[in-house]
């Protein structure tokens, strides 16, 4: 039975484990990150744990240091309204998008549409089987966009896994018509170099929408993913004729090749593309999280983005994973996916700076703007060595004059935090579950957690869809901000309405 309560103590430390210390050393000296830091196309792999690690975790549960297996704990200002378990699609849950009364959840097996008109009782509207990691998802009007970043036999939803070494293999973007939410219709596909790990929609008036396609890790043996791969694919979609979507450019963002990674920068990923891009159309800006580099660039011409500034952190960042602007475009939060989304990195041994968010102020004007580092933020609710924990996808909570964010941390749960003072970020609310199991290292927990029209929605890798209500005077004004549509990586101007 799952208990629901505010944890009585929820201490911050676990005992020192030799295995965890070994992991820390390995992360510091590791070669570049694996080709796919997020879980791959195959079922999630489970790592073994030692008897001493299991014993330590049981001791930590007994003492209140961590929740029990599958036990839910949370701060007093968050209420867990409901969980909707997975239905027919049993694969890994991924990203979220919203439109009106609907939530769209990507899954390695396809995607699911939920009716969230009553957030306490979401209803499944449709489940679309269309396998292909990782099925990053976004919506615009009657169109839904889906990323395929696994080598498939063709571009259909009945495709099978096929080696990337074969020229006939396919990866890229799929487009669906969702005018009928109960029966989405697949209408187009565009192949892109190295597939589409994630994508970002860039609106261009009422005629077209552009898709910035992030992908990486080329290989000389892959005919459709050849090195160098130092940029992003740009797809143009005519809104009145989406079946005519096509690749219009490949923008080289790293003429010098980007961060070289190891051995020059031990423990840092070599830059061979971008993992994720967030655009702020109201300011013609974009922020790119690109493996070993963080970018700020102009999108005044969406087909030809222009780099404004580029930063690296070769001391504490391993893999630049995602980016979020504050509302005024004065700051960017970059996340570090230390351990590739497959390791226990939220513990005392790893510490508060590695695997953290990096907060950067945007200083200056126009093309002279610079990204200036201010501080790190990482949850200090230490997790067990069996819990994969990593900084992952989150969104701004729209409150004027404040910089507030809700964020997923895999088995670290959900964190609501305040970075109004860039140098002194602080957590103000949290929600998490205890370990999935004590017998093995498991990838689970929230993949994406976003604020939408008064509620927090979380796509849990293993558990399905969670809905939460945040009740706090610091975040209360956000309840009055209502959106018709939200793709978090196409960050809206929340107050221009």
């Amino acid at each position: 039975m799952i208990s629901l309560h505010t944890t009585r103590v929820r201490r911050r430390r676990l005992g020192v484990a030799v295995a965890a210390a070994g992991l820390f050393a390995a992360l510091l000296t590791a070669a570049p990150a694996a080709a796919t830091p997020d879980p791959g196309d195959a079922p999630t792999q489970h790592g073994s744990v030692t008897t001493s690690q299991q014993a330590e975790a049981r001791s930590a549960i007994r003492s209140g240091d961590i929740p029990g297996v599958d036990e839910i704990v949370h701060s007093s200002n968050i209420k867990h309204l409901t969980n909707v378990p997975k239905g027919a699609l049993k694969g890994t849950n991924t990203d979220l998008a919203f439109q009106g009364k609907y939530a769209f959840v990507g899954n390695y097996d396809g995607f699911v549409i939920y009716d969230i008109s009553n957030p306490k009782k979401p209803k499944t509207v449709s489940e679309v089987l269309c396998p292909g990691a990782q099925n990053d998802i976004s919506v615009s009007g009657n169109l839904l966009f889906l990323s395929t970043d696994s080598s498939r036999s063709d571009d259909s939803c009945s495709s099978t896994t096929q080696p990337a070494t074969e020229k006939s293999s396919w990866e890229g973007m799929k487009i669906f018509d969702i005018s009928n939410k109960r029966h989405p219709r697949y209408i187009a596909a565009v192949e892109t170099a190295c597939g589409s790990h994630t994508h970002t929609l860039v609106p261009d008036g009422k005629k077209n929408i552009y898709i910035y396609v992030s992908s990486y890790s080329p290989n000389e043996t892959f005919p459709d993913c050849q090195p160098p791969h130092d940029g992003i694919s740009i797809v143009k979609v005519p809104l009145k004729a989406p079946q005519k979507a096509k690749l219009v450019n490949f923008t080289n963002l790293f003429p010098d090749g980007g961060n070289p990674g190891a051995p020059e920068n031990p423990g840092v990923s070599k830059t061979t593309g971008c993992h994720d891009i967030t655009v702020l159309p109201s300011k013609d800006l974009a922020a790119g999280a690109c493996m070993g580099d963080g970018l700020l660039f102009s999108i005044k011409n969406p087909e030809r983005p222009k780099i404004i500034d580029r930063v690296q952190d070769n001391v504490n960042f391993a893999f630049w994973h995602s980016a979020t602007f504050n509302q005024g475009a004065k700051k960017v939060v970059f996340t570090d996916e230390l351990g590739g989304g497959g390791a226990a990195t939220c513990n005392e041994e790893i510490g508060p700076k590695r695997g953290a968010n990096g907060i950067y102020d945007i200083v200056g004007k126009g093309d002279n703007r610079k990204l200036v580092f201010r501080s790190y933020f990482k949850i200090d609710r230490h997790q067990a060595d069996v819990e994969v924990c990593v900084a992952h996808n989150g969104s701004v909570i729209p409150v004027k004059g404040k910089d507030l964010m809700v964020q997923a941390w895999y088995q670290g749960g959900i964190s609501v935090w305040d970075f109004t003072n860039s140098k002194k970020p602080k957590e103000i609310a949290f929600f998490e579950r205890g370990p999935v199991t004590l017998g093995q290292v498991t990838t689970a927990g929230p993949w994406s957690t976003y604020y939408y029209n008064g509620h927090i929605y979380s796509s849990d890798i293993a558990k399905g869809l969670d809905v939460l209500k945040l009740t706090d005077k610091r975040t209360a004004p956000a309840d009055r901000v209502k959106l018709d549509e939200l793709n978090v990586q196409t960050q809206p101007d929340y107050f221009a309405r």
Side-chain angles (χ1 to χ4, degrees):
M1 180 177 180
I2 297 176
S3 63
L4 177 63
H5 65 276
T6 302
T7 182
R8 50 202 180 281
V9 178
R10 192 59 176 101
R11 296 167 184 155
R12 305 299 187 184
R13 290 186 173 85
L14 293 178
V16 177
V18 174
L23 170 64
F24 181 47
L27 290 170
L28 284 174
T29 59
T36 308
D38 298 317
D41 193 29
T44 301
Q45 297 298 310
H46 302 293
S48 61
V49 295
T50 65
T51 302
S52 62
Q53 284 176 308
Q54 293 184 48
E56 183 191 20
R58 291 190 181 94
S59 175
I61 290 170
R62 287 194 299 270
S63 64
D65 288 343
I66 63 172
V69 173
D70 269 346
E71 179 186 12
I72 291 176
V73 297
H74 55 83
S75 55
S76 59
N77 53 356
I78 274 188
K79 183 178 181 180
H80 186 213
L81 298 183
T82 192
N83 169 263
V84 183
K86 292 179 184 178
L89 304 185
K90 301 300 184 182
T92 296
N93 268 358
T94 59
D95 210 3
L96 278 161
F98 304 90
Q99 187 180 82
K101 66 178 185 178
Y102 298 102
F104 304 80
V105 180
N107 180 286
Y108 274 47
D109 289 336
F111 64 91
V112 183
I113 302 177
Y114 295 96
D115 182 336
I116 55 171
S117 53
N118 181 354
K120 294 180 180 180
K121 295 182 179 181
K123 297 178 180 179
T124 301
V125 176
S126 57
E127 300 185 74
V128 176
L129 179 64
C130 195
Q134 58 188 21
N135 280 340
D136 192 53
I137 194 168
S138 60
V139 294
S140 179
N142 288 329
L143 299 177
L144 180 146
F145 304 90
L146 208 61
S147 287
T148 299
D149 191 34
S150 62
S151 185
R152 313 297 298 179
S153 57
D154 56 51
D155 64 3
S156 73
C157 283
S158 58
S159 66
T160 57
T161 300
Q162 183 167 290
T165 52
E166 295 187 21
K167 176 61 180 173
S168 62
S169 296
W170 185 92
E171 299 179 61
M173 291 301 308
K174 297 186 177 102
I175 304 174
F176 292 77
D177 182 326
I178 54 169
S179 52
N180 184 340
K181 302 294 189 295
R182 294 188 177 278
H183 300 285
R185 184 169 57 91
Y186 182 22
I187 57 174
V190 179
E191 186 171 14
T192 56
C194 300
S196 174
H197 194 68
T198 67
H199 70 270
T200 304
L201 301 186
V202 184
D204 182 36
K206 297 182 179 180
K207 291 185 177 181
N208 304 297
I209 195 163
Y210 289 92
I211 308 174
Y212 286 180
V213 178
S214 295
S215 56
Y216 52 92
S217 293
N219 189 301
E220 291 181 354
T221 67
F222 299 166
D224 299 320
C225 184
Q226 290 283 299
H229 183 76
D230 297 325
I232 57 173
S233 299
I234 300 178
V235 174
K236 184 177 182 179
V237 183
L239 294 178
K240 292 185 178 180
Q243 69 277 9
K244 295 182 179 180
K246 64 179 182 179
L247 183 70
V248 294
N249 196 12
F250 183 89
T251 296
N252 189 343
L253 300 176
F254 303 99
D256 66 352
N259 196 318
E264 183 174 332
N265 297 317
V268 178
S269 294
K270 178 181 179 181
T271 298
T272 59
C274 289
H275 180 278
D276 214 333
I277 292 170
T278 292
V279 298
L280 191 57
S282 63
K283 303 292 185 181
D284 288 327
L285 281 178
C290 303
M291 305 182 71
D293 294 89
L295 299 180
L296 180 69
F297 51 101
S298 168
I299 56 169
K300 287 182 179 179
N301 182 342
E303 288 191 21
R304 290 174 173 80
K306 177 183 176 182
I307 300 298
I308 296 174
D309 195 25
R310 169 181 159 195
V311 290
Q312 296 179 354
D313 181 344
N314 295 319
V315 175
N316 289 312
F317 260 49
F319 188 96
W320 296 65
H321 176 275
S322 54
T324 303
F325 287 99
N326 75 329
Q327 182 57 42
K330 298 297 183 182
K331 304 173 186 178
V332 181
V333 174
F334 289 103
T335 69
D336 176 24
E337 195 180 41
L338 177 69
T345 66
C346 297
N347 51 41
E348 191 171 9
E349 290 69 37
I350 300 298
K353 293 182 178 180
R354 289 184 59 77
N357 298 323
I359 303 167
Y360 286 75
D361 283 353
I362 301 175
V363 177
K365 296 182 179 180
D367 290 349
N368 294 318
R369 284 172 285 190
K370 298 293 182 183
L371 291 165
V372 180
F373 174 78
R374 295 303 188 201
S375 67
Y376 297 105
F377 171 78
K378 185 177 181 180
I379 59 172
D380 64 352
R381 291 171 284 105
H382 291 149
Q383 309 298 307
D385 292 331
V386 297
E387 294 181 280
V388 171
C389 177
V390 67
H392 225 244
N393 298 335
S395 74
V396 166
I397 298 176
V399 176
K400 284 187 177 180
K402 298 287 186 181
D403 295 324
L404 306 171
M405 186 171 172
V406 61
Q407 185 179 3
W409 285 82
Y410 276 29
Q411 287 193 77
I414 294 166
S415 176
V416 180
W417 60 290
D418 184 335
F419 62 104
T420 306
N421 183 338
S422 300
K423 294 182 178 180
K424 294 183 178 180
K426 59 183 179 181
E427 185 173 78
I428 62 174
F430 75 90
F431 168 93
E432 68 170 287
R433 289 181 172 91
V436 173
T437 176
L438 300 182
Q440 55 195 10
V441 180
T442 308
T443 298
W447 175 293
S448 294
T449 302
Y450 301 144
Y451 183 92
Y452 177 69
N453 291 356
H455 290 82
I456 292 172
Y457 296 87
S458 182
S459 173
D460 189 285
I461 292 168
K463 301 293 185 182
L465 178 70
D466 285 306
V467 186
L468 302 98
K469 181 63 180 177
L470 179 63
T471 304
D472 191 293
K473 64 181 181 181
R474 292 165 290 190
T475 61
D479 289 353
R480 298 192 291 269
V481 179
K482 302 299 181 183
L483 302 179
D484 297 323
E485 192 170 87
L486 177 62
N487 299 293
V488 168
Q489 287 72 38
T490 306
Q491 201 167 318
D493 185 338
Y494 287 96
F495 305 116
R497 57 194 68 249

